[in-house]
Amino acid sequence: MKKLLVYLKEYKKETILAPLFKLLEATLELFVPLVVAAIIDVGITGGDTGYILRMVGILVLLGAVGLAFSITAQFFAAKAAVGFVKKLRQVLFSHIQKLSYAGLDTQGTSTLITRMTSDMNQVQSGLNLTLRLLLRSPFVIVGAMIMAFTVDSKAALVFAVDIPALALVVFGIMLASIPLFRKVQSRLDGVMLLTRENLTGVRVLRAFCKEEEQVREFSQKNQDLTDMQKFVGRISALLNPLTYIIVNAAIIALIWVGAIRVDMGLLPQGAVASMYNYMAPLLPDMCKLSNIFLNLPRSIACGNRIAAVLEVEPTVKDGECGNLRGEARKESDEPVCKTKEGFETVSGETREEKKGKNENNLPDGAGAVYAVEFCHAHLRYPNAADESLTDVDFVVKPGETVGVIGGTGSGKSSLVNLIPRFYDCEKGQVLVDGVDVRDYGLDDLRGRIGVVPQKAVLFAGTIRENLQWGKKDATAEEMVDALETAQIAEIIEKKENGLDSLVEQGGRNFSGGQRQRLTIARALVRRPEILILDDSSSALDYATDAALRKAIAAMQPKPTLFLASQRTSSIMHADKIIVLDDGQVAGIGTHEELLHTCSVYREIYDSQFHNTSGKSVGEVPAI
């Protein structure tokens, strides 16, 4: 929590003035009983109406000035609390944006949302209460007792007994309630979890006729929550009667002692009234103080959770070369990928041998530079026992289409996510245009790569605004061209507002296939050098999928295309197919080569292209 206070530096003035004005207001409040005592002892006793009116004017003045001080304190406290949380929320959101996929996976989306919302609100409330009341309430309680002793030391002994008794009851009940409130919150979380599961999975519940069973489970959890809340409520309910008994008993004792001393001529009547007025604010201020101590630990805990997120260091940072775009790489006989002499790749060839085989058909001016190179890359996710990718080694020429295929969990997404540095490989290298991706500036690297993830995510707004995520200054012609390549231009043209048609949250006013094609168009609008389609055509029919691949192949300049898919038909016409099996490369080659040399690929192909008689139906016709 201390680390967060650095963001309060901009509000030093407010953090000083807020409690200062509250103390001034409390000081004026302590003088009010003395004025009342003077009215009784001098004005009323002496029948001096003028004196009474002057004192009443002073009371009105004290009230007006105290109100001004209170409003001013509230203004400064609110400004400091809101400004502090505003700055903190900006810093946290900016930090989250810098986290790698690994950092986001470790923290969890729901946790980060909680930190940005409810935890921030709790911190803001705690800071506001602290600035306004943390000094004021103790000052009033202690000040009232001191002022009472200045009026009459013997009668004021009642305060010395009353205040500790009040503190014992208030803080005792508070300490007993805190752990019980945690149990209430835990059971409330259980009810909320069950409610969310039932609402999101209502179709599944009805399909399996589980409505009554879920109603019974909800009733049980709800009853457990109710019982715990009643138990906590009974304990909390003791606070008001016990404190009122203590305060009223003290008032009775004070009036009784005061009456005796007035009767003995040792104390004027106004003094008893003033001591009564000093006793009156003790209970509300004690409750305010207990409320502060109840909220302060929650605010500190929330602040610590926010600080814990800020302490997570981004594992993916800008490279030392900044906005390097490949110009720094010079032609050299030395291989870019530093490997041990004689080390063989998965296919049994050294990198130099592969380099010699592939350099003949490279585009003019490209020399021996590959578009993408994986050099013995290994990837292990945080806290994972085993590697997700092991010794992945291959090269891709500019403009090639590379298919990545394998079973569920084989590492297809992991492989393509290494190219834009969503993750960093644990060992080995990934190079783009002959430069290690870790040497690029992140904006520069990802600015030349178009990525379409598995889950098609659209944002609330218009189609135009969603496409501008790919290229901020994209023209209407560029957008239409991208939509045509993505095979969705006709659908958009039929809409009344065209590119300005509304997209609802999550794109729910579009079908799954339309969402996928819009996300592909969003990636294509920037004309990326490298295009990654991570199983992003799974909702498309075979004809649309084929037309999409044909349109991408016809783009000029043609991007280097990575197609990660579980469908053999989507990648069988690729220039190169990489077959993954449990994170390892099981084979690299063309469709025809892999059918004869890779049993994993053959098994996937046969499972998708066999008729009912068990005979292969052959290949899907080329596009």
Side-chain angles (χ1 to χ4, degrees):
M1 183 67 182
K2 292 181 180 179
K3 295 181 180 179
L4 302 183
L5 297 180
V6 66
Y7 303 111
L8 201 58
K9 285 183 177 180
E10 297 179 16
Y11 301 94
K12 284 183 179 179
K13 179 182 71 174
E14 288 78 5
T15 55
I16 294 173
L17 291 178
L20 176 62
F21 276 99
K22 267 298 179 182
L23 291 180
L24 290 174
E25 182 246 335
T27 302
L28 295 180
E29 185 178 330
L30 292 175
F31 282 109
V32 169
L34 297 180
V35 177
V36 172
I39 291 174
I40 295 172
D41 293 336
V42 178
I44 296 176
T45 302
D48 190 344
T49 305
Y51 183 83
I52 294 173
L53 292 176
R54 288 195 300 273
M55 290 298 101
V56 170
I58 292 175
L59 283 177
V60 173
L61 179 64
L62 287 175
V65 175
L67 177 63
F69 284 164
S70 180
I71 293 174
T72 304
Q74 179 62 58
F75 170 77
F76 285 127
K79 184 178 179 181
V82 172
F84 168 70
V85 170
K86 171 193 169 186
K87 179 65 175 178
L88 185 58
R89 189 179 280 116
Q90 289 174 338
V91 170
L92 180 61
F93 186 80
S94 177
H95 181 76
I96 290 172
Q97 294 300 310
K98 296 176 184 177
L99 292 178
S100 66
Y101 276 22
L104 294 173
D105 293 341
T106 302
Q107 296 297 319
T109 304
S110 59
T111 298
L112 295 176
I113 292 175
T114 302
R115 301 295 177 269
M116 287 290 299
T117 53
S118 62
D119 282 352
M120 286 288 182
N121 293 336
Q122 185 64 50
V123 169
Q124 179 178 321
S125 175
L127 181 60
N128 198 328
L129 281 173
T130 299
L131 292 178
R132 290 190 299 113
L133 301 175
L134 186 61
L135 293 180
R136 183 195 184 281
S137 293
F139 181 81
V140 169
I141 293 170
V142 176
M145 185 169 66
I146 293 174
M147 295 297 290
F149 272 97
T150 62
V151 175
D152 186 74
S153 57
K154 292 191 176 180
L157 291 175
V158 175
F159 285 80
V161 177
D162 180 58
I163 291 176
L166 270 177
L168 182 64
V169 171
V170 171
F171 290 104
I173 291 177
M174 181 192 71
L175 292 175
S177 299
I178 287 176
L180 295 176
F181 275 121
R182 289 174 184 163
K183 291 183 179 180
V184 168
Q185 190 63 41
S186 176
R187 297 191 181 185
L188 178 60
D189 290 342
V191 172
M192 294 295 292
L193 176 62
L194 184 62
T195 304
R196 184 175 60 185
E197 287 181 345
N198 283 318
L199 291 177
T200 56
V202 63
R203 291 177 175 82
V204 179
L205 288 176
R206 292 176 180 177
F208 287 91
C209 302
K210 293 287 185 179
E211 296 95 330
E212 293 185 5
E213 181 179 326
Q214 290 301 306
V215 167
R216 287 195 297 271
E217 184 176 355
F218 179 85
S219 298
Q220 181 60 49
K221 287 185 176 292
N222 195 39
Q223 187 61 48
D224 292 341
L225 173 62
T226 303
D227 293 341
M228 180 55 68
Q229 286 178 321
K230 285 181 177 178
F231 181 65
V232 177
R234 292 189 187 100
I235 295 177
S236 299
L238 294 174
L239 181 64
N240 281 348
L242 288 178
T243 52
Y244 274 105
I245 287 173
I246 293 172
V247 171
N248 289 328
I251 290 173
I252 292 171
L254 184 64
I255 294 174
W256 181 64
V257 173
I260 293 175
R261 295 182 67 76
V262 168
D263 187 58
M264 295 173 62
L266 301 175
L267 194 66
Q269 295 178 5
V272 179
S274 67
M275 295 186 73
Y276 171 81
N277 287 329
Y278 283 127
M279 180 67 71
L282 288 184
L283 179 58
D285 277 289
M286 190 67 74
C287 291
K288 290 176 186 176
L289 194 60
S290 67
N291 190 39
I292 293 173
F293 285 113
L294 191 64
N295 280 276
L296 203 56
R298 295 180 185 175
S299 300
I300 292 173
C302 291
N304 289 335
R305 287 197 291 266
I306 295 170
V309 177
L310 291 173
E311 289 173 358
V312 177
E313 287 291 332
T315 56
V316 175
K317 300 180 180 179
D318 277 342
E320 296 179 359
C321 299
N323 290 329
L324 182 66
R325 293 193 65 85
E327 293 87 345
R329 182 168 188 263
K330 305 298 182 181
E331 291 300 326
S332 173
D333 292 332
E334 293 184 13
V336 176
C337 179
K338 305 295 184 181
T339 57
K340 295 181 180 179
E341 185 177 356
F343 193 95
E344 292 191 340
T345 64
V346 175
S347 60
E349 299 173 326
T350 65
R351 185 182 180 281
E352 290 301 314
E353 289 172 347
K354 290 193 297 182
K355 184 177 178 181
K357 285 185 178 183
N358 286 279
E359 64 183 356
N360 297 327
N361 298 322
L362 290 177
D364 292 339
V369 178
Y370 298 113
V372 178
E373 301 173 73
F374 275 72
C375 303
H376 307 289
H378 296 247
L379 174 64
R380 186 193 305 272
Y381 289 112
N383 304 319
D386 300 319
E387 290 183 333
S388 296
L389 292 175
T390 303
D391 198 29
V392 178
D393 190 88
F394 64 89
V395 294
V396 179
K397 295 182 292 185
E400 273 193 328
T401 297
V402 180
V404 183
I405 195 168
T408 303
S410 59
K412 301 185 296 298
S413 296
S414 299
L415 186 146
V416 295
N417 282 336
L418 289 177
I419 301 172
R421 284 195 75 196
F422 294 147
Y423 297 95
D424 271 337
C425 54
E426 186 180 35
K427 292 186 290 184
Q429 289 176 296
V430 178
L431 300 98
V432 170
D433 199 17
V435 179
D436 194 316
V437 292
R438 288 169 287 200
D439 291 333
Y440 281 94
L442 290 175
D443 290 342
D444 183 57
L445 174 66
R446 294 170 183 172
R448 65 201 303 187
I449 299 173
V451 181
V452 184
Q454 287 179 324
K455 185 177 181 181
V457 177
L458 296 174
F459 297 89
T462 64
I463 295 173
R464 186 189 302 274
E465 290 170 347
N466 272 272
L467 294 179
Q468 284 175 338
W469 281 67
K471 185 180 180 183
K472 188 175 182 180
D473 57 349
T475 63
E477 291 75 15
E478 289 175 322
M479 293 182 189
V480 171
D481 186 48
L483 291 170
E484 289 177 348
T485 304
Q487 308 302 303
I488 197 172
E490 292 184 7
I491 297 174
I492 304 304
E493 288 172 359
K494 291 178 182 178
K495 291 185 176 291
E496 183 179 353
N497 297 318
L499 288 172
D500 294 314
S501 299
L502 290 178
V503 178
E504 295 181 7
Q505 184 180 9
R508 60 173 177 261
N509 56 329
F510 291 90
S511 68
Q514 290 171 346
R515 285 198 298 269
Q516 284 191 337
R517 281 177 281 174
L518 281 173
T519 56
I520 292 171
R522 182 175 60 196
L524 290 173
V525 76
R526 67 169 56 176
R527 290 282 178 173
E529 299 173 23
I530 299 171
L531 178 61
I532 298 172
L533 302 182
D534 185 6
D535 203 14
S536 51
S537 59
S538 58
L540 304 183
D541 59 79
Y542 285 98
T544 305
D545 187 17
L548 171 65
R549 288 184 279 112
K550 183 178 180 179
I552 293 175
M555 290 175 63
Q556 293 299 327
K558 181 184 176 183
T560 302
L561 177 61
F562 283 82
L563 282 168
S565 178
Q566 295 186 32
R567 298 199 313 202
T568 312
S569 60
S570 296
I571 54 92
M572 64 190 302
H573 301 294
D575 300 310
K576 180 182 296 181
I577 299 173
I578 299 167
V579 185
L580 293 177
D581 183 27
D582 197 21
Q584 298 184 354
V585 177
I588 300 178
T590 63
H591 170 69
E592 291 77 11
E593 292 171 349
L594 292 171
L595 284 176
H596 295 91
T597 61
C598 182
S599 59
V600 175
Y601 184 78
R602 181 70 195 187
E603 182 180 348
I604 296 172
Y605 176 78
D606 286 343
S607 67
Q608 298 176 10
F609 293 99
H610 268 72
N611 58 22
T612 54
S613 63
K615 295 181 180 180
S616 174
V617 298
E619 300 178 15
V620 174
I623 298 168

